[in-house]
Amino acid sequence: MAGPHWVVRRSAAIVPAVFAIVPLSTTYQIFGLLHIIAAIGAFGPLFMYETLVLKTTVAVLTTNLALLFLVLALEKSSSRLWFACGIAFGLLTLLRGTFLLVLPFALMALILEHYRNRVPVRSLAVWMVGIGCGILPATAHNAVAAMDFIPTTYQGGTMFFIGNRHGGSGTYEPLRPGRGHPDQEKYD
């Protein structure tokens, strides 16, 4: 399979398999084998449908990875799993800025689990360090490129404006007419 498109062709074969394995593994860890069989029977063709690597697709995969690592970390109490879970949660905040609103609730739930003697304080700390490591590349980039301390990506406000305001179409619109260049969004 020589030629310039071999990477794309290999990716088109591998990506759907990864996008099928991770949600099914998460389902198995949470619900068990019977639910896996039901999911494959009901949604089997859909698992192999999404082959484009889009931001939404990666966000769904990262959400599944975060949940899978969380379930495994709760079961096995491994520092590596807590760290991987934190990194997945951190990357998820970069993919979906609104996920920052979920993090305090996840932290509160884990603190409650600590009081039930299921999660040691060390695991909570490792999870939070993992979140910080997941967010750190964007924070460092923002500090260098924009000379501003923005812990996550800049797109949050823009996305809320485009998709959630009254009369918003959900498609890209410049924040101010005639100023559609990304460099201008910070000042608009």
Side-chain angles (χ1 to χ4, degrees), residues 16-101:
V18 171
F19 281 91
I21 290 168
V22 172
L24 291 175
S25 298
T26 306
T27 303
Y28 176 73
Q29 288 296 323
I30 296 173
F31 300 111
L33 185 61
L34 184 60
H35 288 86
I36 291 279
I37 295 168
I40 291 173
F43 303 108
L46 296 177
F47 283 121
M48 300 303 269
Y49 177 73
E50 187 65 62
T51 59
L52 296 174
V53 181
L54 304 172
K55 182 178 176 180
T56 304
T57 312
V58 175
V60 169
L61 176 67
T62 308
T63 303
N64 278 290
L65 280 172
L67 290 174
L68 178 61
F69 288 140
L70 180 61
V71 169
L72 291 172
L74 284 169
E75 284 180 4
K76 299 179 182 180
S77 193
S78 161
S79 291
R80 287 181 180 175
L81 288 171
W82 281 108
F83 187 71
C85 179
I87 285 182
F89 273 76
L91 292 175
L92 196 51
T93 61
L94 298 180
L95 291 166
R96 291 285 173 224
T98 53
F99 195 75
L100 281 170
L101 300 173

Side-chain angles (χ1 to χ4, degrees), residues 129-161:
V129 167
I131 291 172
C133 288
I135 295 173
L136 185 63
T139 307
H141 173 267
N142 291 338
V144 171
M147 304 297 228
D148 200 358
F149 178 74
I150 305 290
T152 62
T153 59
Y154 268 112
Q155 297 126 348
T158 309
M159 294 303 120
F160 281 125
F161 172 79

Side-chain angles (χ1 to χ4, degrees), residues 117-135:
N117 293 326
R118 286 195 65 197
V119 178
V121 173
R122 182 175 190 273
S123 296
L124 284 172
V126 169
W127 180 69
M128 289 191 284
V129 167
I131 291 172
C133 288
I135 295 173

